[in-house]
Amino acid sequence: CSRGGGGGGGGEVRLPGQDEPDSTYEFTSRDLLQAMQANARELKRTTQLLTRRDRAALAAGDDPSPSPDSREEEEEAAPEAAVRVRLPDGCMLQGRFGAEEAASALHVFVAETLQEGAPAFDLKTTVGSTHRGVIDPSQGGTLNSMGLAPRGIVNLRWRDDGRHGKDVVRLDTPQQPLDPN
């Protein structure tokens, strides 16, 4: 190995045992930005219901999230809301609603899907929706205004903190594989 020389390459050769300068290990603002973007992509991939186009964009390393303006346009134009309800055991219920239907319609849908005598429940929005927290059907609001149109996911939580499985879902509930789109 040689050091120096008039090659003009500007590079530097480090020999084993030489210490690296502290600047080698500095975490720059650019590094932070890249890490934050990678975390945001991973969060979006794992928590949000994505279309086939969004999944392809995410796989290509692009950001599938539309700009806030285009998201608002999509919400305004969305005639339907496809909402998935995740039960604590991982089971999913899916319902289609009008985007401007009241949030109480989602509660009615879930209640009608559960067996008679099923424990009381709360529905809680997930990351990515404009409404945060428990959906209170008495407070009004539409599925669209809560960020659940054109698609969304909510979590069901039993109020009694009990562990209830698929046994609380009515047997006559149509069951079919969920469309991944």
Side-chain angles (χ1 to χ4, degrees), residues 6 8 18-19 23 30 44 58-59 70 75 89 137 155 160 167:
Q18 285 184 316
D19 289 333
S23 63
R30 183 175 181 187
K44 184 174 203 75
L58 196 61
S70 65
E75 287 175 355
D89 67 349
N155 292 314
D160 67 0
D167 58 319

PDB file of all heavy atoms in Angstrom, residues 6 8 18-19 23 30 44 58-59 70 75 89 137 155 160 167:
ATOM      1  N   GLY A   6       1.235  11.566  -6.186  1.00  0.00           N
ATOM      2  CA  GLY A   6       0.670  12.669  -6.951  1.00  0.00           C
ATOM      3  C   GLY A   6      -0.464  12.263  -7.836  1.00  0.00           C
ATOM      4  O   GLY A   6      -0.687  12.900  -8.853  1.00  0.00           O
ATOM      5  N   GLY A   8      -3.572  12.555  -7.504  1.00  0.00           N
ATOM      6  CA  GLY A   8      -4.655  13.548  -7.553  1.00  0.00           C
ATOM      7  C   GLY A   8      -6.025  12.951  -7.356  1.00  0.00           C
ATOM      8  O   GLY A   8      -7.006  13.614  -7.608  1.00  0.00           O
ATOM      9  N   GLN A  18      -4.829   1.878  12.044  1.00  0.00           N
ATOM     10  CA  GLN A  18      -4.966   3.336  12.069  1.00  0.00           C
ATOM     11  C   GLN A  18      -6.375   3.683  12.532  1.00  0.00           C
ATOM     12  O   GLN A  18      -7.334   3.009  12.168  1.00  0.00           O
ATOM     13  CB  GLN A  18      -4.744   3.936  10.682  1.00  0.00           C
ATOM     14  CG  GLN A  18      -3.314   3.974  10.246  1.00  0.00           C
ATOM     15  CD  GLN A  18      -3.186   4.675   8.906  1.00  0.00           C
ATOM     16  OE1 GLN A  18      -3.962   4.438   8.010  1.00  0.00           O
ATOM     17  NE2 GLN A  18      -2.203   5.559   8.813  1.00  0.00           N
ATOM     18  N   ASP A  19      -6.483   4.707  13.316  1.00  0.00           N
ATOM     19  CA  ASP A  19      -7.781   5.152  13.805  1.00  0.00           C
ATOM     20  C   ASP A  19      -8.513   5.942  12.722  1.00  0.00           C
ATOM     21  O   ASP A  19      -7.907   6.693  11.967  1.00  0.00           O
ATOM     22  CB  ASP A  19      -7.633   6.038  15.046  1.00  0.00           C
ATOM     23  CG  ASP A  19      -7.202   5.234  16.255  1.00  0.00           C
ATOM     24  OD1 ASP A  19      -7.500   4.027  16.291  1.00  0.00           O
ATOM     25  OD2 ASP A  19      -6.569   5.825  17.157  1.00  0.00           O
ATOM     26  N   SER A  23     -15.232  12.106  12.348  1.00  0.00           N
ATOM     27  CA  SER A  23     -16.228  12.496  11.346  1.00  0.00           C
ATOM     28  C   SER A  23     -16.798  11.279  10.613  1.00  0.00           C
ATOM     29  O   SER A  23     -17.896  11.338  10.069  1.00  0.00           O
ATOM     30  CB  SER A  23     -15.621  13.478  10.344  1.00  0.00           C
ATOM     31  OG  SER A  23     -14.554  12.849   9.634  1.00  0.00           O
ATOM     32  N   ARG A  30     -28.741  14.346   6.916  1.00  0.00           N
ATOM     33  CA  ARG A  30     -29.140  13.549   5.752  1.00  0.00           C
ATOM     34  C   ARG A  30     -29.369  12.088   6.168  1.00  0.00           C
ATOM     35  O   ARG A  30     -30.315  11.453   5.735  1.00  0.00           O
ATOM     36  CB  ARG A  30     -28.076  13.640   4.679  1.00  0.00           C
ATOM     37  CG  ARG A  30     -28.443  12.905   3.418  1.00  0.00           C
ATOM     38  CD  ARG A  30     -27.425  13.108   2.339  1.00  0.00           C
ATOM     39  NE  ARG A  30     -27.857  12.404   1.157  1.00  0.00           N
ATOM     40  CZ  ARG A  30     -27.144  12.269   0.084  1.00  0.00           C
ATOM     41  NH1 ARG A  30     -25.957  12.832   0.016  1.00  0.00           N
ATOM     42  NH2 ARG A  30     -27.598  11.602  -0.944  1.00  0.00           N
ATOM     43  N   LYS A  44     -45.974   2.457   7.041  1.00  0.00           N
ATOM     44  CA  LYS A  44     -47.062   2.473   6.071  1.00  0.00           C
ATOM     45  C   LYS A  44     -47.310   1.065   5.529  1.00  0.00           C
ATOM     46  O   LYS A  44     -48.440   0.628   5.398  1.00  0.00           O
ATOM     47  CB  LYS A  44     -46.731   3.429   4.937  1.00  0.00           C
ATOM     48  CG  LYS A  44     -47.845   3.591   3.940  1.00  0.00           C
ATOM     49  CD  LYS A  44     -47.467   4.678   2.953  1.00  0.00           C
ATOM     50  CE  LYS A  44     -48.670   5.266   2.322  1.00  0.00           C
ATOM     51  NZ  LYS A  44     -49.423   6.158   3.134  1.00  0.00           N
ATOM     52  N   LEU A  58     -44.436   0.951  -3.299  1.00  0.00           N
ATOM     53  CA  LEU A  58     -43.659   0.735  -2.077  1.00  0.00           C
ATOM     54  C   LEU A  58     -42.532  -0.270  -2.317  1.00  0.00           C
ATOM     55  O   LEU A  58     -41.409  -0.072  -1.871  1.00  0.00           O
ATOM     56  CB  LEU A  58     -44.589   0.250  -0.962  1.00  0.00           C
ATOM     57  CG  LEU A  58     -44.060   0.320   0.447  1.00  0.00           C
ATOM     58  CD1 LEU A  58     -43.728   1.754   0.828  1.00  0.00           C
ATOM     59  CD2 LEU A  58     -45.075  -0.241   1.418  1.00  0.00           C
ATOM     60  N   ALA A  59     -42.835  -1.328  -3.065  1.00  0.00           N
ATOM     61  CA  ALA A  59     -41.808  -2.335  -3.371  1.00  0.00           C
ATOM     62  C   ALA A  59     -40.697  -1.744  -4.232  1.00  0.00           C
ATOM     63  O   ALA A  59     -39.546  -2.141  -4.127  1.00  0.00           O
ATOM     64  CB  ALA A  59     -42.446  -3.528  -4.074  1.00  0.00           C
ATOM     65  N   SER A  70     -54.111  15.504  -3.050  1.00  0.00           N
ATOM     66  CA  SER A  70     -54.717  14.414  -3.806  1.00  0.00           C
ATOM     67  C   SER A  70     -55.472  13.470  -2.867  1.00  0.00           C
ATOM     68  O   SER A  70     -56.455  12.873  -3.264  1.00  0.00           O
ATOM     69  CB  SER A  70     -53.674  13.661  -4.621  1.00  0.00           C
ATOM     70  OG  SER A  70     -52.755  13.008  -3.784  1.00  0.00           O
ATOM     71  N   GLU A  75     -60.696  11.403  -1.154  1.00  0.00           N
ATOM     72  CA  GLU A  75     -61.723  11.232  -0.132  1.00  0.00           C
ATOM     73  C   GLU A  75     -63.040  11.865  -0.563  1.00  0.00           C
ATOM     74  O   GLU A  75     -64.104  11.310  -0.351  1.00  0.00           O
ATOM     75  CB  GLU A  75     -61.259  11.850   1.189  1.00  0.00           C
ATOM     76  CG  GLU A  75     -60.191  11.043   1.885  1.00  0.00           C
ATOM     77  CD  GLU A  75     -59.646  11.725   3.117  1.00  0.00           C
ATOM     78  OE1 GLU A  75     -60.028  12.876   3.389  1.00  0.00           O
ATOM     79  OE2 GLU A  75     -58.825  11.108   3.803  1.00  0.00           O
ATOM     80  N   ASP A  89     -58.329 -11.550  18.086  1.00  0.00           N
ATOM     81  CA  ASP A  89     -57.697 -12.828  17.740  1.00  0.00           C
ATOM     82  C   ASP A  89     -57.117 -12.827  16.328  1.00  0.00           C
ATOM     83  O   ASP A  89     -56.610 -13.830  15.859  1.00  0.00           O
ATOM     84  CB  ASP A  89     -58.682 -13.982  17.906  1.00  0.00           C
ATOM     85  CG  ASP A  89     -59.821 -13.944  16.905  1.00  0.00           C
ATOM     86  OD1 ASP A  89     -59.984 -12.925  16.203  1.00  0.00           O
ATOM     87  OD2 ASP A  89     -60.560 -14.943  16.810  1.00  0.00           O
ATOM     88  N   PRO A 137     -70.109   6.263  18.446  1.00  0.00           N
ATOM     89  CA  PRO A 137     -71.203   6.433  17.488  1.00  0.00           C
ATOM     90  C   PRO A 137     -72.165   7.553  17.856  1.00  0.00           C
ATOM     91  O   PRO A 137     -72.847   8.091  16.994  1.00  0.00           O
ATOM     92  CB  PRO A 137     -71.904   5.074  17.495  1.00  0.00           C
ATOM     93  CG  PRO A 137     -71.474   4.409  18.744  1.00  0.00           C
ATOM     94  CD  PRO A 137     -70.150   4.985  19.125  1.00  0.00           C
ATOM     95  N   ASN A 155     -59.650  -1.375  14.843  1.00  0.00           N
ATOM     96  CA  ASN A 155     -59.443  -2.494  15.757  1.00  0.00           C
ATOM     97  C   ASN A 155     -60.624  -2.592  16.707  1.00  0.00           C
ATOM     98  O   ASN A 155     -61.106  -1.580  17.199  1.00  0.00           O
ATOM     99  CB  ASN A 155     -58.163  -2.307  16.569  1.00  0.00           C
ATOM    100  CG  ASN A 155     -56.930  -2.401  15.710  1.00  0.00           C
ATOM    101  OD1 ASN A 155     -56.807  -3.295  14.886  1.00  0.00           O
ATOM    102  ND2 ASN A 155     -56.009  -1.477  15.880  1.00  0.00           N
ATOM    103  N   ASP A 160     -64.677  -5.859  28.312  1.00  0.00           N
ATOM    104  CA  ASP A 160     -64.425  -6.649  29.519  1.00  0.00           C
ATOM    105  C   ASP A 160     -63.004  -7.205  29.563  1.00  0.00           C
ATOM    106  O   ASP A 160     -62.660  -7.962  30.456  1.00  0.00           O
ATOM    107  CB  ASP A 160     -65.442  -7.787  29.645  1.00  0.00           C
ATOM    108  CG  ASP A 160     -65.293  -8.839  28.550  1.00  0.00           C
ATOM    109  OD1 ASP A 160     -64.400  -8.719  27.676  1.00  0.00           O
ATOM    110  OD2 ASP A 160     -66.084  -9.801  28.563  1.00  0.00           O
ATOM    111  N   ASP A 167     -65.549 -17.609  18.211  1.00  0.00           N
ATOM    112  CA  ASP A 167     -66.818 -18.108  18.717  1.00  0.00           C
ATOM    113  C   ASP A 167     -67.848 -16.992  18.908  1.00  0.00           C
ATOM    114  O   ASP A 167     -69.022 -17.277  19.047  1.00  0.00           O
ATOM    115  CB  ASP A 167     -66.611 -18.866  20.035  1.00  0.00           C
ATOM    116  CG  ASP A 167     -65.948 -18.017  21.110  1.00  0.00           C
ATOM    117  OD1 ASP A 167     -65.009 -17.275  20.786  1.00  0.00           O
ATOM    118  OD2 ASP A 167     -66.369 -18.116  22.271  1.00  0.00           O
TER     119      ASP A 167
END
